[in-house]
Structure formats: C-alpha cells, structure tokens
Amino acid sequence: MALLFLSEADPVDQWREALLAEMPDLDFRVWPDQIGNPLDIDVALVWLPPPGELSKFANLKAILSLGAGVDALIEDCTLPNLPLARMVDPSLTRMMADYVLAAALRHHRNLDFFEHEQRSGRWTFKFPKLVGDRTVGILGLGVLGSAAAACLRDFGFKVQGWSRSEKILDGVACFHGSTQLHSFLSNTEILICLLPLTQDTEGVLNTSLFAALPSNACLINVGRGRHLVEGDLIEALENGQLAAATLDVFETEPLPKASRLWNEPRVLVTPHVASYCDPRSAAAGVVENIRLVRAGRPPNHLADRARGY
Ligand code: NAP
Ligand code: GLV
C-alpha cells in the first residue's frame, strides 16, 4: 500500500515531512519519477493530474484532492469511478477569509479608485463610507463562503450570502435558489464568488447578473475563471455597472499575455493565490482519510459527482 503524491503546484517536500510526521510508516511515492510499482498505489493525493493518469493505477481505492474545488477532476471523463474527497482544512479556510477581507477592504476604502487616480496624477477626493454601511454579498456559503462571511461580519460589514440549499448563519442574511438570487444581488455592493464550478454555475458572472447589482458595484472572483464571462465584465466596467474587480482565477491559467485583463484599469489580477492549504495543518486530515480508505470506509468530505461539487 502506497500513497501517490501528484501535484506540480504544491510543495512535495513539505507534504512528505508533514505526512510522515503523522504516519511514520507511510510509503510516500511521487509522480512522475518515484512511482515504483503502480500496483502498490492505493490512495492518490492530487492537484490537476493529467487526464488519464489516475486510470493507470489498478489498485487505487480513493482520490484525495489537494484543492477544495474538484471541478477539473469531475470533468475528466477518464477519472476512475472511486471515492473523491475535497480538501477541507483550517489553513485553506483561513487563507481564503484573509484574501476576501483584504480585497473587500480595498474596494470598500476606494483604494482601487485611488490607485487609478494616482497613475493619472489626479488628487481626487472621494468621501469614505463606514464599514457598517457597506453590504458585501457572497455567492456560495459552503466551507469557504461561510467562513469568509463570518470574517467580514466580524469586521463590521453587512453580510449576505446565497447558496443552493437554505442556510441559517448568525448575522448573515441568507438567500437560496435561483428565485432569491435577484433579491440577494439588488443591494450587494461588493460581490464575492465562492461557488464551485459546475454545469449550473458556469458563466454565472455575466451581464444579466451584473445588471441586477447596484451600479458601481465591485466584483471579487475567487471561485473559478469559468464562472466569469470576461467580455461581460469588461463591458460592465466600461459602462459603469461595475466600478472595479479583483480576479484571482481565470478561464486559462496562467492568464495569457494577450489578455485584456492585464491592462484593464480597474482590474486587479492575482495568480490564483487566494488560498492554499499548509501541509502542517492539512496532513492530519489527509492521514485520517488514508486510514479510513484502508479500513474500507469512505473518506471524509466526499464530493458528489452528480451534483458536481
Ligand atoms: P463547498 O463547501 O462545496 O461550498 C459550495 C457552496 O456553493 C455551497 O454553499 C453550495 O450550496 C453553493 N452552490 C453550489 N452550487 C450552487 C448553485 N447552483 N446555486 C447556488 N449555490 C450553489 O465549497 P468550498 O470549499 O467553499 O469551495 C468553493 C470553491 O472555492 C471551490 O469549488 C473552488 O472553486 C474555489 N476555491 C478557490 C481557491 C483560490 O485560491 N482561488 C481556493 C480554494 C477554493 P449548498 O450549501 O446548498 O450545497
Ligand atoms: C484552489 O483553487 C482550490 O480549489 O483549493
């Protein structure tokens, strides 16, 4: 029995050290050069495996994602039909809440506007607003969305959120389902997307959604690039429906050199860095899942492939 680690984005040495600290007898193999006998591999810990790769391990029993979003795995039609677990971890959750708070504050305090005015050499006064008078709305109230909502609420923002099923969160106005989307949007001044990418949510950030926001709203997309229709965003920025955007995720990553977004005056581009899990924090949960799988039980935080997340 061996664990296969497959990720070109995550720090393999830190993961090896953290997992061995939790499970000293773990046989830790690394894709692509230290796989050994493929028949030994029973659990795979992965981020963006090349399509078809995981079907090469005949004794694989479960796939553990290094990311919270499993859209790329679910979209891979060659993925073996095995239990698939999402990453749920306090460091990942905390880092996302930090990013969302920083981005929301940047828009709230008009720093995006002042950065733009500074580049044009203009001293333009804009009267600030109290945090308690600013409404932030979060699309997606799952593990990350509900933690971000709590962090923004505790900071003093008015917070509301939207999810598929009904939710009750202390101090957060909760909306659900397509029938409540427009009420949710109608007073959202800073909109944060923390949805998973599914057939239902692809392209959700589009002209018709922007039109339902108050004019001059701001967008923070930390979900997936394909939630956003980029052309609709540029149009909404040009016609003043949106004042600014913070984008961490893109349809094509890295963002192509030719993308207009690089030079869009009111867009901040960050290279998919909003949140990662720290192996020191996440290793215990991964080891628990390895033990569950080896005991013939389903791992924690199972993704529902039919639902898409
Ligand atoms: P999660 O716990 O599965 O939560 C997903 C939320 O979205 C749930 O509240 C769900 O509603 C809601 N939702 C799903 N489909 C919906 C629909 N059709 N209509 C309305 N609401 C819908 O996921 P998570 O752990 O919070 O992660 C969310 C996403 O963040 C990931 O999928 C990933 O794309 C992204 N992410 C990005 C980064 C980054 O660095 N940029 C890092 C980590 C994650 P229910 O509660 O009713 O199910
Ligand atoms: C990162 O994007 C993740 O899904 O964890």
Side-chain angles (χ1 to χ4, degrees):
M1 289 184 299
L3 174 82
L4 178 71
F5 182 90
L6 189 168
S7 168
E8 292 181 305
D10 294 272
V12 60
D13 292 336
Q14 289 177 34
W15 270 105
R16 183 190 289 106
E17 189 183 333
L19 288 171
L20 289 176
E22 293 288 333
M23 196 180 195
D25 59 347
L26 179 69
D27 187 351
F28 184 90
R29 312 272 180 95
V30 184
W31 181 90
D33 296 329
Q34 298 158 28
I35 298 174
N37 182 353
L39 294 175
D40 295 344
I41 305 296
D42 65 338
V43 181
L45 180 61
V46 304
W47 175 247
L48 300 182
E53 201 56 31
L54 293 179
S55 57
K56 295 179 183 163
F57 302 97
N59 292 325
L60 193 63
K61 293 191 178 54
I63 300 162
L64 311 181
S65 171
L66 281 157
V70 287
D71 44 285
L73 288 163
I74 289 180
E75 276 180 6
D76 175 2
C77 56
T78 69
L79 196 77
N81 188 16
L82 296 169
L84 166 63
R86 299 180 337 97
M87 177 57 74
V88 174
D89 167 68
S91 66
L92 181 87
T93 304
R94 175 59 202 258
M95 236 187 244
M96 181 56 84
D98 290 352
Y99 181 100
V100 161
L101 177 64
L105 274 171
R106 178 171 168 273
H107 293 306
H108 165 63
R109 288 309 312 263
N110 303 311
L111 299 182
D112 48 2
F113 173 79
F114 296 128
E115 283 160 13
H116 180 256
E117 293 304 279
Q118 177 184 349
R119 279 194 291 272
S120 310
R122 282 196 294 262
W123 179 278
T124 312
F125 186 81
K126 198 171 188 181
F127 206 80
K129 205 171 169 173
L130 280 168
V131 71
D133 292 332
R134 182 77 72 191
T135 301
V136 180
I138 305 179
L139 294 166
L141 285 176
V143 175
L144 301 180
S146 57
C151 172
L152 292 159
R153 173 204 63 203
D154 293 349
F155 194 81
F157 285 106
K158 279 191 194 162
V159 183
Q160 51 193 29
W162 182 72
S163 53
R164 201 163 77 136
S165 58
E166 193 169 357
K167 298 263 179 291
I168 299 172
L169 297 176
D170 192 26
V172 177
C174 295
F175 298 77
H176 68 280
S178 50
T179 53
Q180 296 186 5
L181 179 60
H182 275 240
S183 319
F184 160 79
L185 294 170
S186 64
N187 60 342
T188 290
E189 299 170 88
I190 299 175
L191 179 70
I192 297 165
C193 178
L194 263 170
L195 290 166
L197 180 66
T198 67
Q199 283 178 357
D200 293 335
T201 65
E202 180 157 10
V204 65
L205 303 174
N206 59 31
T207 298
S208 112
L209 179 141
F210 299 147
L213 294 166
S215 58
N216 283 311
C218 296
L219 171 70
I220 299 169
N221 187 18
V222 275
R224 286 286 183 261
R226 279 159 52 200
H227 285 131
L228 174 67
V229 181
E230 288 182 2
D232 289 5
L233 169 72
I234 288 169
E235 198 180 299
L237 289 165
E238 282 172 355
N239 67 26
Q241 184 56 35
L242 290 182
T246 301
L247 306 178
D248 184 56
V249 285
F250 302 88
E251 185 168 348
T252 306
E253 294 180 6
L255 184 63
K257 289 259 181 289
S259 171
R260 270 189 70 175
L261 293 171
W262 284 115
N263 296 312
E264 216 28 65
R266 296 292 179 76
V267 173
L268 174 66
V269 168
T270 60
H272 200 143
V273 289
S275 176
Y276 275 88
C277 58
D278 186 315
R280 292 168 303 177
S281 160
V286 169
V287 164
E288 187 181 346
N289 269 346
I290 295 169
R291 292 201 167 109
L292 284 168
V293 170
R294 289 183 177 166
R297 293 167 55 197
N300 294 321
H301 314 303
L302 270 183
D304 177 336
R305 293 202 197 193
R307 209 175 52 165
Y309 65 101

